[in-house]
Amino acid sequence: SRFETCWPALMKDSHGVIIIFNPDLPSHLKEIEMWYSCFVQQQPLLDSQCLLVAHHKPGSAGDTENLSLAYPLNKLKLIHSNLEEDPEDVRMEFIKYFRSIITIINESREREELSIIS
């Protein structure tokens, strides 16, 4: 896409990636594979540093049960957001995700400090 030249700047020193997509659009399902490849695999980040959000627009059927993603996306944490019905649920999932990222950052910082000391 036309913003690809900006991607290296966006990726620099990033600790996590959240990919939000519309599960009702087949084109989005193809695109998230590209986003995952560019922003997670090539950095490289751990899968636990990536969160997929299937965002259901108001009034859409919101078939949360039958969304099956192909490998490697099926290894990622996937949450369904429908802000009409359950905004609190989504908020809690985001908090959990941010906590896990902070844990990863702290652990890698400790490892760095230990390697400097030893």
Side-chain angles (χ1 to χ4, degrees):
S1 75
R2 58 190 169 173
F3 298 117
E4 272 178 58
T5 49
C6 308
W7 289 1
L10 287 172
M11 292 187 217
K12 189 179 177 336
D13 300 332
S14 65
H15 295 291
V17 174
I18 298 173
I19 300 173
I20 301 173
F21 65 101
N22 181 344
D24 301 324
L25 293 179
S27 63
H28 273 205
L29 298 178
K30 278 258 56 78
E31 278 176 36
I32 54 176
E33 289 179 23
M34 187 232 3
W35 292 112
Y36 171 75
S37 165
C38 292
F39 280 84
V40 181
Q41 288 179 311
Q42 288 174 31
Q43 286 216 68
L45 292 177
L46 302 169
D47 285 341
S48 56
Q49 288 168 277
C50 182
L51 177 67
L52 288 182
V53 182
H55 183 64
H56 300 272
K57 289 191 168 158
S60 70
D63 186 2
T64 57
E65 298 307 307
N66 293 321
L67 179 62
S68 59
L69 297 171
Y71 180 85
L73 298 173
N74 59 5
K75 303 183 307 191
L76 304 174
K77 171 96 178 129
L78 169 69
I79 64 172
H80 291 270
S81 76
N82 183 329
L83 300 180
E84 275 183 322
E85 286 172 26
D86 222 338
E88 189 54 30
D89 233 27
V90 175
R91 202 173 75 85
M92 290 310 297
E93 288 293 350
F94 269 100
I95 289 170
K96 264 195 281 188
Y97 169 70
F98 288 124
R99 281 199 184 126
S100 72
I101 295 292
I102 290 164
T103 303
I104 289 167
I105 294 168
N106 288 339
E107 284 170 358
S108 72
R109 196 168 288 150
E110 280 169 22
R111 274 197 303 275
E112 273 171 35
E113 286 167 3
L114 283 171
S115 69
I116 292 166
I117 293 165
S118 50

